[in-house]
Amino acid sequence: MKKNALFESPEGKSYLLPFILVVGLFFMWGFAHALLDVLNKHFQDILHITKAKSALVQMSLYGGYFIMALPAGFLLKKHGYKRGIVIGLALFAIGAFLFYPATLIKSFFPFLAALFVIACGLAFLETAANPYATVLGPQKSAAQRINLAQSFNGLGWVLGPLVGGAIIFSEEGDPFAILAKPYMGVGIIVLIMAILFIKVPLPEIISEDSNTQNLGKKSFFSLFRYKLLVFAIIAQFFYVAAQTGIGSFFINYAIDAIPGMKAIEASQMLSIGMVLFMLGRLLASFILKFIKPKNLIALFSAINVLLLIVVMGHFGMISVVCLLATYFFMSILFPTIFAVGISGLKEDTQRASSLIVMSIVGGAVIPILMGYIADISSMAIGFSIPLICFIVTMLFGLCKFKN
């Protein structure tokens, strides 16, 4: 097997450089998502709001995904991956820069509006980058490629709590004003990336079996004939719900479980979970050479169900360690569910990708429910919700459906 066969077309053309550029996108939206887990706790502290209300942070972000996913899919189909990526980066930058006026207003909802704009940009990026990573090489190695790309997404998740926690939980200065610093930096980096994508030529990958004359005549409803795709949409809804819920309330759980734990210490501990998350995706790109993607989904989901049972038992540090371990075993779920869900769809890939990205709205709904349970009962009991979510992803891995 050739050294770069993972990133080669059937004709032997190298897609390594486009893949490297796309990897940068995975990193940036991982960083943006990880900052949310710090924001949740910070807003609870400075605005004195409930856990349920602080989860509106996630609702703003993932709600933006839900609303923008279909328009992103239509644009990608009409204008291609490159233009969709550039539009996504532009919206991402605008949303990041909106954090500055929000810090001057010092109210919750301007921050939610800024996060919504960021989400609109991220919807374009994820709708484009996830399927693009799968087609930058042989179809048989699509799951390996997307997991490799998503491992750099994991690196963004690692740095988000470290950078965000160090800045946002610092005790110096206006607690609202310090929110602008990380987002101004993100906005500048994203603008530079947009310029880079404009200048660098990217190949438009078109399936050999694609019938472009029929693309515009098909409705999105026609995609629901693919049973595996439909189950993938459902599984992705529950997976993102679980990941978002765990990330949103990890800091709260650690503070409750470990006496004397401070928020900045919990955010640093959260970064350990993100390291496990990144390592899981790196390891998965190797494991998937030997284990079928659906089998790995089922196995890792089942392990997380067991870990969350211990988390619900609230056994102090043991439970916190188990909660950290869930990051390793959830790491492969999003990209692998995505790759399995769009497998074999050929010219329907872009539109199917939009539907899977829409399912990310699970991250808007579940944290609010977890926060409500935590407010009326306990944070430990709130983790029953992601436990149920992983049961659903396990069933997806065990199903026999095909597209």
Side-chain angles (χ1 to χ4, degrees), residues 65 106 164 202 312-313:
Y65 271 94
K106 297 185 178 181
L202 292 179
M312 290 180 62

Side-chain angles (χ1 to χ4, degrees), residues 270-326:
L270 176 58
S271 69
I272 297 173
M274 300 308 182
V275 170
L276 294 174
F277 190 83
M278 180 181 68
L279 291 176
R281 284 186 171 170
L282 281 171
L283 185 59
S285 65
F286 173 75
I287 295 176
L288 284 166
K289 293 180 181 180
F290 311 102
I291 301 178
K292 292 182 179 179
K294 287 174 69 176
N295 291 343
L296 198 61
I297 290 170
L299 175 62
F300 278 23
S301 296
I303 292 172
N304 266 353
V305 169
L306 297 176
L307 289 170
L308 286 169
I309 290 173
V310 179
V311 170
M312 290 180 62
H314 207 260
F315 302 117
M317 180 60 79
I318 293 174
S319 292
V320 173
V321 170
C322 286
L323 190 55
L324 285 172
T326 64

Side-chain angles (χ1 to χ4, degrees), residues 206-354:
I206 301 174
S207 170
E208 293 178 358
D209 300 303
S210 175
N211 185 345
T212 55
Q213 292 181 342
N214 293 327
L215 281 177
K217 299 178 182 179
K218 295 181 179 179
S219 73
F220 272 87
F221 293 105
S222 67
L223 296 175
F224 288 96
R225 70 184 186 274
Y226 300 118
K227 292 182 179 179
L228 185 60
L229 171 64
V230 172
F231 203 168
I233 293 168
I234 296 169
Q236 204 71 290
F237 175 94
F238 283 98
Y239 164 69
V240 176
Q243 179 189 325
T244 308
I246 291 171
S248 299
F249 297 110
F250 176 89
I251 293 175
N252 288 99
Y253 185 89
I255 291 173
D256 287 347
I258 304 174
M261 173 72 70
K262 296 180 179 179
I264 191 169
E265 295 170 337
S267 69
Q268 292 167 350
M269 183 176 287
L270 176 58
S271 69
I272 297 173
M274 300 308 182
V275 170
L276 294 174
F277 190 83
M278 180 181 68
L279 291 176
R281 284 186 171 170
L282 281 171
L283 185 59
S285 65
F286 173 75
I287 295 176
L288 284 166
K289 293 180 181 180
F290 311 102
I291 301 178
K292 292 182 179 179
K294 287 174 69 176
N295 291 343
L296 198 61
I297 290 170
L299 175 62
F300 278 23
S301 296
I303 292 172
N304 266 353
V305 169
L306 297 176
L307 289 170
L308 286 169
I309 290 173
V310 179
V311 170
M312 290 180 62
H314 207 260
F315 302 117
M317 180 60 79
I318 293 174
S319 292
V320 173
V321 170
C322 286
L323 190 55
L324 285 172
T326 64
Y327 280 93
F328 180 87
F329 294 104
M330 78 168 83
S331 63
I332 65 100
L333 297 184
F334 182 91
T336 311
I337 291 171
F338 201 105
V340 169
I342 64 175
S343 62
L345 295 185
K346 301 175 183 177
E347 72 270 13
D348 288 322
T349 297
Q350 290 176 335
R351 295 181 307 133
S353 298
S354 297

